[in-house]
Amino acid sequence: MLSANKHAARVPYPESLRSIMSIRCAEQSRQWLSQWRGIAHGATPLRALPGLAARLGIAWLGVKDESQRSPLGSFKALGAPVALLRQVLRLHPGFEPEAVLAGRYAGTLKDYTVISATDGNHGRALAAAARDAGCRCVIVLHAQVSVERERAIADCGARIVRIAGNYDASVAEAARLAAAHGWQVVSDTSYEGYEDIPRDVMQGYGVIASELVEQADGAAGDPPYTHVFLQGGVGGLAAGIVSYLWEKYGARRPRFIVVEPVQADCLYQSALAGRPAGATGTVDSIMAGLACGEASPLAWRFLQDSVDDFMTITDDAAIEAMRTLAAGDCGDVPIVSGESGAAGLAGLLVLLRDRALAGAAGLNAASRALLISTEGATAPLVYEQCVGVPAASVLSRQQKWRASVDTAGISGCRAKTAC
């Protein structure tokens, strides 16, 4: 399903939003994170897929591969650590930012406890950051979070609390535990009276956009992409990237399309209602990172006037997209993209199979589409069940592909092969 956002506007980035999230703060976050051992040095790859683009009939297709962001295998390594760091600095303004995640204040922070609900990746990132900073971490998991993801979070030193409900129930339980014990919630979704930390999480995601601007070689002042496909969830990732690119390009910004599971369509419903709304489905999707029932009100403030289209996809469409990226068809580089990571490609494939939908989304032979693969095989067994082969096999073929091509001078979004 595709719904055009009647409130989308081609205007300069509003000052009211700049006061909340800005390029300046995103760059500050990028600098601080560059000193953390839990994150890769340098930008994640922007991989061009010229073969798939040609098969689909568009001018260019690229994937920002966030599986390479850190050992966590997810873009969430950007959000929770920044939020934890900024919260610590609010409590201890004299601390040196780069020293917090290096553990230099562990003695001071040893009795400080942070807590969050998660579908997996956010909790793992928060647990890793808390471990390195020297504070305690409690993670609340709902019934649909896999045992694999639970173990990965526990391995980062977090205490795990399991509940029987869905993601929204885990958010409520995290808030209850925090109030009962005096712990600090570090969540990627906002609610009444709780916006500073979700804003910091979203600001961390702006690092992705910062790298994309550097990696692009479009005409001066113009965006190098006509379309940017972004995962839904509560809206945090989309808001973080939209904020940066909207401020950078103003009224010339690319077309933003948000994709989410049909059974977790809170942003789609928010667009229809013109305000933050809840999902109409079961909120039980294989796309665990996007299985959210309520839109973040703070994220919605950035999305309501900037996202041009909201769409929903099925789990089967996501699995097909995972397999397409893993196969590396048409001579393209094979890519490991998890269930939520492949959602953008799933949305693009759905649109391009229907001439009317493609036209409604402004997709044609001149389109240059950007996807964000937000995660790799963060749940390896789930990935293998979906794709039919283990992630290690795909990575082996990726290494062979890279060894077989001359990558000298390949960068940016006009590359003929992957970088």
Side-chain angles (χ1 to χ4, degrees):
M1 296 175 64
L2 179 75
S3 177
N5 179 16
K6 62 182 180 181
H7 299 292
R10 296 278 170 172
V11 297
Y13 189 55
E15 287 299 325
S16 60
L17 296 182
R18 193 195 308 268
S19 66
I20 303 172
M21 285 203 296
S22 66
I23 287 177
R24 181 187 65 81
C25 287
E27 296 298 342
Q28 185 181 58
S29 297
R30 185 178 179 183
Q31 171 59 33
W32 291 348
L33 282 176
S34 70
Q35 309 299 312
W36 181 38
R37 67 169 185 164
I39 207 165
H41 292 291
T44 54
L46 173 60
R47 306 191 188 278
L49 302 179
L52 183 56
R55 178 162 72 83
L56 295 177
I58 60 176
W60 185 86
L61 177 61
V63 179
K64 181 75 164 160
D65 187 358
E66 287 298 297
S67 71
Q68 305 297 304
R69 179 62 65 186
S70 79
L72 306 178
S74 163
F75 80 104
K76 291 293 180 84
L78 296 170
V82 165
L84 174 62
L85 173 55
R86 290 189 181 275
Q87 176 61 16
V88 168
L89 292 178
R90 279 190 282 270
L91 298 174
H92 303 279
F95 282 7
E96 296 179 18
E98 291 83 357
V100 173
L101 295 179
R104 285 173 49 187
Y105 302 109
T108 304
L109 299 174
K110 62 182 176 63
D111 294 322
Y112 185 60
T113 301
V114 292
I115 184 172
S116 184
T118 186
D119 285 304
N121 293 334
H122 174 79
R124 189 176 176 190
L126 179 60
R131 175 197 62 201
D132 289 354
C135 56
R136 299 173 181 173
C137 182
V138 178
I139 298 297
V140 182
L141 302 179
H142 60 85
Q144 283 76 46
V145 177
S146 69
V147 173
E148 277 187 296
R149 288 194 168 96
E150 176 181 344
R151 289 172 180 166
I153 296 169
D155 286 345
C156 291
R159 172 190 160 195
I160 305 297
V161 175
R162 274 280 188 179
I163 68 161
N166 60 17
Y167 173 76
D168 297 299
S170 68
V171 170
E173 178 63 8
R176 186 191 70 78
L177 289 172
H181 298 285
W183 299 338
Q184 176 61 58
V185 175
V186 179
S187 174
D188 56 357
T189 188
S190 67
Y191 44 84
E192 185 176 356
Y194 181 78
E195 289 193 345
D196 287 351
I197 288 176
R199 175 203 61 208
D200 296 339
V201 171
M202 295 190 300
Q203 193 74 82
Y205 300 154
V207 171
I208 298 173
S210 172
E211 294 176 358
L212 284 166
V213 169
E214 287 185 356
Q215 291 169 318
D217 62 351
D222 292 328
Y225 324 107
T226 60
H227 295 71
V228 178
F229 286 76
L230 297 167
Q231 283 83 342
V234 299
L237 169 71
I241 293 178
V242 161
S243 166
Y244 193 108
L245 297 181
W246 190 3
E247 182 178 353
K248 173 69 176 177
Y249 298 113
R252 301 186 309 276
R253 65 169 178 78
R255 186 170 189 143
F256 296 120
I257 300 177
V258 165
V259 183
E260 59 192 339
V262 67
Q263 63 269 55
D265 59 346
C266 59
L267 295 178
Y268 183 95
Q269 294 301 325
S270 297
L272 295 179
R275 56 176 173 74
T280 58
T282 61
V283 197
D284 180 12
S285 169
I286 195 170
M287 294 169 273
L290 307 182
C292 306
E294 297 287 339
S296 167
L298 180 61
W300 183 248
R301 291 172 63 181
F302 291 85
L303 304 181
Q304 61 185 346
D305 296 328
S306 62
V307 174
D308 299 279
D309 305 281
F310 292 86
M311 69 176 298
T312 59
I313 58 170
T314 65
D315 284 1
D316 286 345
I319 293 172
E320 178 194 2
M322 293 170 69
R323 292 174 176 172
T324 298
L325 290 170
D329 289 340
C330 310
D332 290 336
V333 58
I335 297 174
V336 174
S337 184
E339 311 88 80
S340 298
L345 177 59
L348 178 64
L349 293 176
V350 168
L351 294 179
L352 289 176
R353 285 188 180 130
D354 186 310
R355 183 173 298 180
L357 287 178
L363 288 163
N364 54 48
S367 297
R368 304 175 64 81
L370 172 69
L371 314 173
I372 313 292
S373 178
T374 51
E375 64 176 3
T378 53
L381 292 178
V382 175
Y383 181 87
E384 184 173 354
Q385 290 170 359
C386 291
V387 177
V389 296
S393 174
V394 180
L395 289 174
S396 176
R397 288 190 290 107
Q398 181 184 109
Q399 291 171 355
K400 291 177 181 177
W401 184 95
R402 296 182 65 183
S404 71
V405 298
D406 178 11
T407 59
I410 295 176
S411 64
C413 73
R414 299 195 189 281
K416 298 302 181 183
T417 53
C419 54

